[in-house]
Amino acid sequence: MTALCAVCKEDRVTLLTDGACVEAGGRLAMVAPKVFTFPHLSAALAVVGPTAMILRLGAMLSVSATFDDLLGEAPGMARIAYCELGEMNDFGEEGRDFELYLAGYSPTRDRMEGWRLIGHDRSSDVRPWELNAAPDIIVTPLPPDYTWPEDFDPLTDGLELIEAQRRVGGPLGFVIGGFAQVTTIKRDAIETMIIRRWPDEVGKTINPTEVL
């Protein structure tokens, strides 16, 4: 599980992600970014699922000339990167499931956009292995009883949101941690910052109640 919040507006797309890479036993294997930026394309890629896909797929898509070209290449390149993951049997049947979020400026349509591509058939509303236009707001996992603020601020509301996501457990226990990263993609710029670091230790399970 990866924390992902994506907010697409007319002039920017904002991504909120964590940095925990958890192994099969529920222990933290490493801390690494879940976002790959394409500064020359005014675009970014976020991955929910196996972190190993990020660098490989990001490098493959970096050859694109525009964000629109990147979108055209993404389904085929995602299949190649997926096949290179191996079996990942230790994680069970869903270990290789992933979801991509592609954000950027489309020169053809002259607007900021968000797109989704999923590598499994467990979703009832998204076609697998195809690009699907993303809703303006995506939050996964959605914390229980969370109410979306009227005017979402990534640095304040975003921090509150990802702290709530960190407390959402799953089959491997608590898997959101390392750090909270905000990435903002605009037509002419990409900005990223770390807004929270957690004291999670590699080799140990994540305890969401621990703070620096």
Side-chain angles (χ1 to χ4, degrees):
M1 182 188 298
T2 294
L4 171 65
C5 171
V7 181
C8 183
K9 295 186 175 181
E10 183 177 348
D11 65 335
R12 69 190 63 197
V13 180
T14 302
L15 305 176
L16 178 65
T17 53
D18 77 306
C21 305
V22 176
E23 60 187 11
R27 294 175 296 276
L28 184 65
M30 64 177 180
V31 176
K34 310 287 184 68
V35 173
F36 191 101
T37 60
F38 306 92
H40 58 306
L41 306 179
S42 295
L45 162 72
V47 177
V48 176
T51 308
M53 286 194 68
I54 296 173
L55 289 178
R56 177 60 174 143
L57 186 55
M60 293 166 69
L61 292 174
S62 290
V63 300
S64 304
T66 68
F67 178 59
D68 296 324
D69 292 334
L70 182 152
L71 293 177
E73 296 286 348
M77 294 295 188
R79 282 191 177 274
I80 294 174
Y82 178 82
C83 291
E84 293 178 350
L85 286 176
E87 294 300 324
M88 299 185 68
N89 290 327
D90 290 345
F91 287 84
E93 181 182 355
E94 301 178 14
R96 298 170 76 225
D97 287 359
F98 71 89
E99 178 173 332
L100 308 180
Y101 184 86
L102 303 159
Y105 170 71
S106 166
T108 302
R109 293 172 288 280
D110 190 25
R111 67 188 186 195
M112 300 300 300
E113 296 181 343
W115 295 83
R116 297 170 70 191
L117 189 155
I118 65 173
H120 58 82
D121 58 3
R122 301 182 220 284
S123 174
S124 60
D125 61 340
V126 180
R127 299 184 303 275
W129 298 107
E130 297 181 20
L131 280 176
N132 297 264
D136 290 341
I137 298 173
I138 291 176
V139 178
T140 179
L142 182 62
D145 304 320
Y146 182 77
T147 301
W148 186 260
E150 183 174 344
D151 188 16
F152 182 81
D153 182 286
L155 301 185
T156 55
D157 299 316
L159 184 56
E160 181 180 349
L161 169 61
I162 201 167
E163 286 285 8
Q165 290 177 306
R166 180 171 159 84
R167 295 190 293 271
V168 177
L172 296 179
F174 298 102
V175 297
I176 294 170
F179 56 79
Q181 180 176 6
V182 173
T183 304
T184 304
I185 306 100
K186 304 177 183 177
R187 177 173 178 171
D188 298 315
I190 294 178
E191 303 167 348
T192 189
M193 67 177 70
I194 304 300
I195 61 172
R196 173 61 52 86
R197 296 184 189 274
W198 293 292
D200 305 316
E201 296 184 42
V202 171
K204 297 183 179 181
T205 57
I206 292 174
N207 180 354
T209 64
E210 291 183 347
V211 297
L212 289 175

